[in-house]
């Protein structure tokens, strides 16, 4: 309130408010900011939980007096719903509770509810699609259609974005009697349910809002999907509608079957759910143990939570993403509350004081590493402890609330929290809404529901009295086998197990390390082995094996060995060649070092970690792709040349700009919309030849970051940047150049606007298919890329979640784990002498799904290439 109000968010390093349009754009993250005092609205019910009733009363008055919901600004429908609509409804829920008590809020006359309704109507135009799935963004003033709206052209949205509305919209309908909101949210959920992948019962991460086609077919419980599942279960709790529970149970069964690999939760493909789609997990999935508590499935909740806690103990915070062997994958941490949320629910379910210790650690780490004079600052990199000038509104809405509740006794809270349900943003909605204004016609989905025959549901509807009768040691007994899972972790040994599973020691006719994508003989061998080569539109090359397409069963087995060698080679090279992210910092007026863009390193040229940074003005090269001698050497001489990705090898571009006298180069991705927020770090590989002749530094920017520089040139012409291994604090030189109005800022710490960085290395420079070779870029192949993995992944060898858990319940000894897995694999083979070939026969629906996917992929490629 002191430094930022009425801005949407606090910038805790520079002690001022973040006002959209006045700060350099951070991309999608800024879509939460609607110039509607976001943090204040998001914090309303936190104040009541913390027993700050007087402050709540003042805050409500401020919201009513100051907040305008009619701004000409494009906001995220999802974020506005969960944070602003949810915040207003949570505030209203507690305002009427207080009013009824007779002391505070006596003047209150549903004003927050009226604002909520106004906002609800503003969001409704987003649902004007044939599917009923909402557009991802809307202009608060102009809606979707009007020319001034500057939105409405999007085709895709995330599943969570379309499936996380029902609690707020139904509450709004039931509070006001206006049924339209609940109807729209139900329609979107009905559509998603219809579109679930029917054989796996999973949903993808993004969906086309017009056609209903899955755009991203990977599926997990974290980013992009998380709160869709949460809202199905909670909609059942709040609205008492069985169809939501049935849907949730169907999905939950699929999640436990395919995604849950205790203690891990790993993304899979919806059509091929036995195939992992990633080798890393994101921080958002940390909410899932909390949801499992609500569902009553405590054991896996304890296991996953324990694993996450150990990752936190290692890095002080949960990195945005981390690998299956618990290395940092994206180092950022924006003070997300999901782990605190799960800790709270696990404590409620088990009463185990261990979870209080966990909460204490969280608080200590926040105070030690994130607390700054004006607030709490997000971690830019959990490894270095560097900060971002950012404090998202969910920090007060959720983190404070859950941590307070974890330690609060019943009498510390002035109302009974059990009478409310938490939305995904931890806003409180009263359960009595379930019996109010129930006028919505419910779709009868029961006929579609197949009774699930499994034990996941034995404990549905948790009841602490029944689940843990006088047994405080229950949770401990589940945690015990996992106590060293992170510290003594090692790669999961899958590859070795797979190799062992062949036991013959035979080598494939073509070794992975010898493979050249340009060698026709090699391509012929690949074909025989049922391996096809796909050039992805982002420049990577993917190898896929369909055992069934191999010339014979022996060729198919050779293909499997080849794929496994390639996987191993790839992961080895990734580890060996992994370089940390670099930074491109704009230092000229009016940025003065505040804009720092996460850049990918190059495996050639000047190593910025060993040399002083390179500083210079930027100039675009001609030709822009830098693939031939530059026609504008005078323009790039002594400058940092901008070049577009594509058409030739990175090293060739570097040589051409170096010859023209450039002192450095920035390659900008030609894949429109790519961003370091969403893509793993990209590392530029050499050309397989000696690159010692390249002496200038080269960095890579995704298109979003690249366009920040290009926009700056358009606006200011002279743009000076610093290429370095990490962002430099704004130095005296920059400060001297600063405008008088910003003088105060220069006293403060740096205000870097770093996009999220990632540790995953994408070595691929498959710029020209003719020059590409998987030998030098094998990282494009991951277990997820191999169809054959489906037939041999541990999860399929053992698809029963419980047994799978037994196999992977790590006791900290890598060798033990490997042996366990190996033994299991051998046992299974021994029991069936024909299993090697027989196991690879795919069921017909999975073959059809494969075909459809491949056809879609090729159709997509044709379109893109044309
Ligand atoms: C919150 O805004 C909500 O919890 C949302 O569902 C996803 N996560 C963020 C905080 O991490």
């Amino acid at each position: 309130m002191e430094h930022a109000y009425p801005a949407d968010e606090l910038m805790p390093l520079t002690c001022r408010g973040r006002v959209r349009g006045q700060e350099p754009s951070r991309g999608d993250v800024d879509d939460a900011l609607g110039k509607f005092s976001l943090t204040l609205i998001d914090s309303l019910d936190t104040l009541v939980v913390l027993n700050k009733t007087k402050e709540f009363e003042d805050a409500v008055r401020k919201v009513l007096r100051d907040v305008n919901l009619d701004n000409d600004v494009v906001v995220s429908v999802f974020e506005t719903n969960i944070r602003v609509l949810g915040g207003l409804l949570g505030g209203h829920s507690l305002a009427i509770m207080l009013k009824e008590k007779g002391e505070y809020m006596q003047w209150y006359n549903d004003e927050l509810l009226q604002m909520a309704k106004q906002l609800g109507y503003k969001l409704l135009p987003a649902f004007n699609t044939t599917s009923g799935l909402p557009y991802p963004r809307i202009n608060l003033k102009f809606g979707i259609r009007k020319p001034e709206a500057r939105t409405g052209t999007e085709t895709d949205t995330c599943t969570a974005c379309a499936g996380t509305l029902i609690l707020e919209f139904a509450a709004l309908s039931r509070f006001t009697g206006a049924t339209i909101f609940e109807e729209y949210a139900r329609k979107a959920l009905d559509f998603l349910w219809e579109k679930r992948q029917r054989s796996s019962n999973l949903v993808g991460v993004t969906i086309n809002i017009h056609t209903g086609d899955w755009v991203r077919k990977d599926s997990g419980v974290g980013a992009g999907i998380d709160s869709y599942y949460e809202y199905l279960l909670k909609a059942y709790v709040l609205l008492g509608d069985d169809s939501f529970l049935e849907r949730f149970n169907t999905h939950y069964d699929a999640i436990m079957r395919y995604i849950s690999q205790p203690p891990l939760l790993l993304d899979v493909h919806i059509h091929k759910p036995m195939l992992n789609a990633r080798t890393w997990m994101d921080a958002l999935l940390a909410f899932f143990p909390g949801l499992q508590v609500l569902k009553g499935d405590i054991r896996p909740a304890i296991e996953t939570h324990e694993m996450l806690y150990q990752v936190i103990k290692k890095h002080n915070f949960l990195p945005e993403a981390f690998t299956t062997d618990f290395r940092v994958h994206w180092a950022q941490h924006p003070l997300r509350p999901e782990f605190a949320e799960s800790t709270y629910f696990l404590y409620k379910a088990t009463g185990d004081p261990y979870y209080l210790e966990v909460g204490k650690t969280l608080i200590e780490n926040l105070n030690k590493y994130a607390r700054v004079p004006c607030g709490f600052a997000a971690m830019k990199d959990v490894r270095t402890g560097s900060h971002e000038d950012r404090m998202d509104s969910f920090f007060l809405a959720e983190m404070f609330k859950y941590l307070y509740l974890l330690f609060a006794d019943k009498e510390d809270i002035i109302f009974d929290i059990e009478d409310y349900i938490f939305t995904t943003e931890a806003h409180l909605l009263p359960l009595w809404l379930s019996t109010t204004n129930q006028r919505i016609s419910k779709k009868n989905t029961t006929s579609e529901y197949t009774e699930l025959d499994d034990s996941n549901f034995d404990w549905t509807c948790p009841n602490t009295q029944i689940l843990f009768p006088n047994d405080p040691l229950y949770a401990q007994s589940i945690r015990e086998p996992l106590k060293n899972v992170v510290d003594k972790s090692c790669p999961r040994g899958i590859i070795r197990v797979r190799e062992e599973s062949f036991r013959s020691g035979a080598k494939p006719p073509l070794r992975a390390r010898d493979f050249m994508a340009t060698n026709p003989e090699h391509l012929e061998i690949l074909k025989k082995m049922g391996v096809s080569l796909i050039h992805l539109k982002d420049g990577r090359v993917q190898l896929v094996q369909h055992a069934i397409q191999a010339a014979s069963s022996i060729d198919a087995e050779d293909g499997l060995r080849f794929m496994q060698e390639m996987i191993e080679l790839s992961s080895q090279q990734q580890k060996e060649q992994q370089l940390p992210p670099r930074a491109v910092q704009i230092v000229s007026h009016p940025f003065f070092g505040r804009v720092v863009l996460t850049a990918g390193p190059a495996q050639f040229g000047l190593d910025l970690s060993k040399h002083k940074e390179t500083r210079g003005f930027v100039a675009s090269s001609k030709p822009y792709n830098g693939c031939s001698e530059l026609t504008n050497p005078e323009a790039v001489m002594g400058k940092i040349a901008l070049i577009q990705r594509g058409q030739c090898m990175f090293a060739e571009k570097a040589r051409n700009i170096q010859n023209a006298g450039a002192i450095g180069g920035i390659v900008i991705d030609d894949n429109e919309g790519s961003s370091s927020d969403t893509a793993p770090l990209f590392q530029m590989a050499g050309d397989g030849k000696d690159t010692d002749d390249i002496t200038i530094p080269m960095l890579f920017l995704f298109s979003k970051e690249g366009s920040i520089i290009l926009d700056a040139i358009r606006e200011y012409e002279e743009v000076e940047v610093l290429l370095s291994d990490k962002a430099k604090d704004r130095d005296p030189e920059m400060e001297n150049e600063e405008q008088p109005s910003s003088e105060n800022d220069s006293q403060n710490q740096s205000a870097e606007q770093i996009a999220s960085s990632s540790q995953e290395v994408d070595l691929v420079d498959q710029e020209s298919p003719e020059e590409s070779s998987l030998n030098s870029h094998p990282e494009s192949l991951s277990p997820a890329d191999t169809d054959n993995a489906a037939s041999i992944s541990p999860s399929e060898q053992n698809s029963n979640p419980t047994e799978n858990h037994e196999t992977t319940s790590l006791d900290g000894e890598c060798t033990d784990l490997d042996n366990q897995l190996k033994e299991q694999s051998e046992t299974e083979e021994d029991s069936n002498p024909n299993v090697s070939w027989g196991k690879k026969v795919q069921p017909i629906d999975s073959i059809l799904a494969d075909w459809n996917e491949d056809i879609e992929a090729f159709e997509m490629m044709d379109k893109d290439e044309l």
Side-chain angles (χ1 to χ4, degrees):
M1 294 307 291
E2 205 177 307
H3 300 289
Y5 189 75
D8 282 318
E9 281 180 351
L10 169 71
M11 298 174 72
L13 299 181
T14 45
C15 302
R16 59 204 166 104
R18 180 181 295 283
V19 179
R20 206 162 154 191
Q22 287 179 21
E23 303 294 332
S25 165
R26 302 174 301 171
D28 295 349
V29 188
D30 283 341
D31 290 343
L33 313 179
K35 301 188 177 177
F36 36 32
S37 300
L38 172 68
T39 302
L40 183 64
I41 294 179
D42 219 3
S43 316
L44 287 177
D45 52 11
T46 301
L47 289 169
V48 185
V49 170
L50 269 62
N51 205 356
K52 303 229 167 259
T53 324
K54 179 77 194 54
E55 288 84 344
F56 173 71
E57 190 143 11
D58 292 347
V60 174
R61 286 188 197 279
K62 282 201 174 71
V63 169
L64 300 180
R65 188 191 66 199
D66 300 342
V67 173
N68 177 15
L69 296 172
D70 196 41
N71 299 311
D72 176 13
V73 53
V74 175
V75 292
S76 150
V77 171
F78 165 79
E79 298 291 358
T80 307
N81 173 58
I82 65 167
R83 303 195 201 197
V84 185
L85 189 56
L88 292 169
L89 292 170
H92 171 69
S93 304
L94 298 190
I96 54 177
M97 177 277 297
L98 287 171
K99 185 175 179 183
E100 205 174 297
K101 278 178 177 279
E103 193 183 344
Y104 292 96
M105 300 299 289
Q106 295 307 302
W107 54 269
Y108 182 70
N109 216 1
D110 292 353
E111 290 88 345
L112 290 176
L113 182 60
Q114 293 318 317
M115 281 185 79
K117 195 170 167 188
Q118 188 198 348
L119 182 59
Y121 279 119
K122 285 193 165 294
L123 296 181
L124 285 188
F127 293 78
N128 192 3
T129 57
T130 40
S131 64
L133 299 178
Y135 280 96
R137 292 181 193 83
I138 194 159
N139 185 307
L140 284 176
K141 192 178 183 71
F142 297 111
I144 298 275
R145 293 264 178 264
K146 293 208 178 109
E148 307 94 307
R150 304 188 305 282
T151 187
T153 51
E154 298 97 337
T155 52
D156 309 335
T157 197
C158 73
T159 301
C161 303
T164 311
L165 298 146
I166 186 72
L167 293 187
E168 293 80 3
F169 274 46
L172 185 55
S173 284
R174 294 184 178 216
F175 271 132
T176 61
T179 54
I180 189 165
F181 304 108
E182 186 170 339
E183 277 160 16
Y184 276 41
R186 276 179 185 265
K187 192 172 165 214
L189 277 181
D190 290 346
F191 190 83
L192 289 174
W193 174 245
E194 286 293 318
K195 288 291 165 188
R196 74 193 182 281
Q197 211 288 324
R198 297 298 174 117
S199 55
S200 67
N201 280 323
L202 293 171
V203 289
V205 172
T206 44
I207 188 165
N208 185 305
I209 53 176
H210 304 301
T211 63
D213 292 338
W214 290 110
V215 179
R216 271 185 58 192
K217 296 169 187 160
D218 41 326
S219 184
V221 296
I225 301 184
D226 47 6
S227 43
Y228 161 63
Y229 293 136
E230 178 183 359
Y231 270 35
L232 283 180
L233 183 56
K234 290 184 173 177
Y236 164 67
V237 176
L238 183 69
L239 308 176
D241 182 340
D242 285 349
S243 71
F244 291 129
L245 180 62
E246 290 165 0
R247 292 179 195 182
F248 175 79
N249 279 345
T250 304
H251 286 311
Y252 189 76
D253 180 60
I255 292 166
M256 297 313 284
R257 206 178 282 274
Y258 306 119
I259 293 168
S260 169
Q261 301 171 35
L264 312 181
L265 289 162
L266 272 182
D267 286 22
V268 298
H269 294 278
I270 55 174
H271 290 106
K272 290 174 256 179
M274 294 302 191
L275 271 188
N276 289 338
R278 285 181 188 169
T279 52
W280 47 274
M281 290 168 276
D282 62 60
L284 286 161
L285 61 75
F287 90 104
F288 198 68
L291 189 65
Q292 289 180 308
V293 169
L294 185 66
K295 195 251 176 292
D297 201 4
I298 308 292
R299 171 184 272 271
I302 292 170
E303 289 167 339
T304 300
H305 179 276
E306 178 58 21
M307 175 273 289
L308 293 170
Y309 184 42
Q310 288 180 35
V311 177
I312 289 174
K313 282 197 283 190
K314 199 166 171 168
H315 303 295
N316 300 322
F317 297 97
L318 200 57
E320 275 295 72
F322 52 95
T323 58
T324 46
D325 54 345
F326 311 110
R327 284 173 296 116
V328 171
H329 185 66
W330 291 4
Q332 198 189 16
H333 171 72
L335 309 181
R336 287 198 190 281
E338 284 76 6
F339 182 77
E341 173 184 349
S342 285
T343 306
Y344 166 65
F345 286 114
L346 269 170
Y347 180 60
K348 293 286 276 187
T350 63
D352 186 339
Y354 176 80
Y355 295 109
L356 295 179
E357 287 299 321
V358 173
K360 187 166 167 241
T361 307
L362 297 184
I363 292 172
E364 282 170 358
N365 286 348
L366 282 172
N367 280 329
K368 201 160 154 192
Y369 303 108
R371 195 169 191 149
V372 292
C374 296
F376 288 80
M379 308 306 296
K380 184 160 58 189
D381 189 323
V382 295
R383 296 162 300 187
T384 60
S386 58
H387 289 137
E388 253 189 286
D389 199 4
R390 158 177 183 188
M391 188 177 102
D392 291 74
S393 68
F394 51 69
F395 184 66
L396 295 182
E398 296 192 69
M399 184 77 103
F400 265 43
K401 202 179 276 153
Y402 284 124
L403 288 176
Y404 182 85
L405 286 172
L406 175 64
F407 292 97
D409 292 324
K410 212 169 166 39
E411 54 277 13
D412 293 331
I413 309 166
I414 55 175
F415 60 98
D416 190 352
I417 199 105
E418 307 287 343
D419 290 339
Y420 295 78
I421 190 152
F422 292 90
T423 68
T424 192
E425 189 77 357
H427 292 308
L428 295 169
L429 298 176
L431 291 172
W432 54 257
L433 287 173
S434 63
T435 52
T436 308
N437 281 329
Q438 295 171 282
R439 285 182 305 202
I440 313 294
S441 69
K442 292 169 192 165
K443 192 177 171 193
N444 184 7
T445 52
T446 320
S447 54
E448 287 183 54
Y449 178 66
T450 332
E451 200 56 50
L452 295 161
D453 173 27
D454 84 13
S455 57
N456 284 326
F457 310 109
D458 288 352
W459 296 107
T460 294
C461 289
N463 178 324
T464 50
Q465 296 309 310
I466 296 172
L467 277 176
F468 309 108
N470 305 318
D471 186 8
L473 293 180
Y474 175 78
Q476 195 194 331
S477 71
I478 296 174
R479 285 194 306 269
E480 188 59 26
L482 296 165
K483 68 173 192 265
N484 295 318
V485 67
V486 168
D487 260 0
K488 295 192 181 168
S489 75
C490 56
R492 294 177 68 209
I494 292 169
I495 292 157
R496 252 190 287 170
V497 173
R498 287 180 183 159
E499 279 195 340
E500 289 294 337
S501 75
F502 286 104
R503 288 189 306 138
S504 63
K507 303 274 179 264
L510 173 62
R511 307 301 307 274
R513 61 166 180 267
D514 302 328
F515 173 67
M516 297 287 290
T518 45
N519 183 327
E521 258 175 59
H522 289 182
L523 295 177
E524 199 48 48
I525 299 173
L526 244 54
K527 201 172 162 199
K528 234 175 125 207
M529 297 190 297
V531 179
S532 39
L533 194 71
I534 301 174
H535 294 279
L536 300 178
K537 56 180 179 170
D538 65 359
R540 292 182 305 150
V541 166
Q542 192 177 50
L543 288 179
V544 180
Q545 194 212 22
H546 294 279
I548 207 146
Q549 289 169 2
S552 69
S553 63
I554 294 173
D555 289 311
E557 283 200 19
D558 284 340
L560 280 172
R561 288 191 198 96
F562 173 80
M563 295 297 276
Q564 284 149 21
E565 276 196 1
M566 195 56 105
I567 292 165
E568 194 159 38
L569 191 65
S570 159
S571 69
Q572 262 171 21
Q573 293 200 352
Q574 275 189 38
K575 274 184 202 135
E576 281 162 16
Q577 301 179 4
Q578 201 165 339
L579 292 175
R582 306 283 188 236
V584 173
Q585 195 167 9
I586 311 185
V587 294
S588 50
H589 167 83
F591 305 98
F592 302 119
R594 278 202 286 263
V595 176
V596 184
L597 308 168
T598 298
Q603 288 171 0
F604 54 86
L606 185 88
D607 181 350
L608 287 162
S609 65
K610 297 200 183 112
H611 296 86
K612 207 175 165 307
E613 65 272 7
T614 298
R615 184 173 178 145
F617 287 92
V618 291
S620 292
S621 56
K622 278 193 191 144
Y624 189 31
N625 65 26
C627 289
S628 53
E629 193 181 329
L630 297 203
T631 56
N632 64 339
E634 68 296 337
V636 299
M637 166 79 82
K639 294 191 177 158
I640 292 170
L642 302 180
I643 330 135
Q644 191 178 40
R645 181 186 183 187
Q647 314 292 320
C648 61
M649 304 296 277
F650 290 124
E652 199 176 327
K653 294 174 194 289
R655 288 190 183 101
N656 285 328
I657 59 167
Q658 182 171 291
N659 291 342
I663 57 168
I666 299 174
V667 178
I668 297 177
D669 195 5
D670 58 343
N671 291 305
E672 213 179 305
S674 67
S675 153
S676 70
D677 289 338
T678 47
L681 185 71
F682 187 88
Q683 180 163 292
M684 295 186 285
D687 54 5
K689 299 175 211 133
D690 187 359
T691 48
D692 286 353
D693 57 317
I694 303 172
T695 53
I696 57 172
M698 294 290 293
L699 294 183
F700 176 86
L701 288 181
F702 283 110
S703 121
K704 264 199 175 168
E705 285 79 23
S707 53
I708 291 174
I709 296 205
L710 296 173
D711 288 348
I713 300 179
R714 269 188 286 277
E715 186 112 340
Y716 305 102
E717 282 175 24
E718 298 280 86
V719 173
E720 193 180 16
V721 299
L722 200 65
L723 311 185
S724 58
D725 60 340
K726 54 170 92 76
K728 305 289 174 232
D729 280 355
R730 292 153 64 200
D731 61 26
E733 200 179 330
M734 293 181 216
E735 287 182 12
N736 289 340
E737 292 168 25
E738 189 132 19
Q739 303 288 295
S741 61
S742 316
E743 256 170 24
N744 289 340
D745 298 349
S746 62
Q747 310 288 329
N748 298 310
Q749 301 173 49
S750 71
E752 303 95 326
Q753 312 284 318
I754 290 254
S756 69
S757 67
S758 122
Q759 288 304 298
E760 183 169 278
V761 179
D762 190 340
L763 305 170
V764 187
D765 175 7
Q766 297 292 356
E767 301 220 314
S768 135
E770 303 82 60
E771 294 173 31
S772 67
S773 124
L774 264 179
N775 219 15
S776 53
H777 317 297
E779 75 304 327
S780 57
L781 197 151
S782 71
D785 296 334
T786 63
D787 275 14
N788 65 5
S791 59
I792 52 170
S793 73
S795 47
E796 191 179 4
Q797 283 170 1
N798 184 353
S799 59
N800 176 322
T802 322
E803 286 169 27
N804 199 15
H805 160 68
E806 298 304 331
T807 318
T808 53
S809 52
L810 314 183
D811 62 4
E813 296 298 326
C814 302
T815 45
D816 278 9
L817 168 65
D818 289 343
N819 288 338
Q820 276 177 33
L821 289 168
K822 175 180 151 192
E823 269 164 35
Q824 185 193 341
S825 159
E826 285 176 356
T827 318
E828 286 183 4
E829 275 202 340
D830 288 343
S831 67
N832 181 356
N834 300 322
V835 80
S836 298
W837 175 243
K839 262 187 172 178
K840 274 168 248 130
V841 178
Q842 292 170 286
I844 191 72
D845 57 341
S846 127
I847 293 170
L848 283 173
D850 283 353
W851 279 350
N852 284 335
E853 261 198 5
D854 291 349
I855 289 165
E856 269 173 46
F858 280 111
E859 277 174 359
M860 189 82 96
M861 273 173 47
D862 283 352
K863 237 186 279 159
D864 291 345
E865 280 165 13
L866 282 170

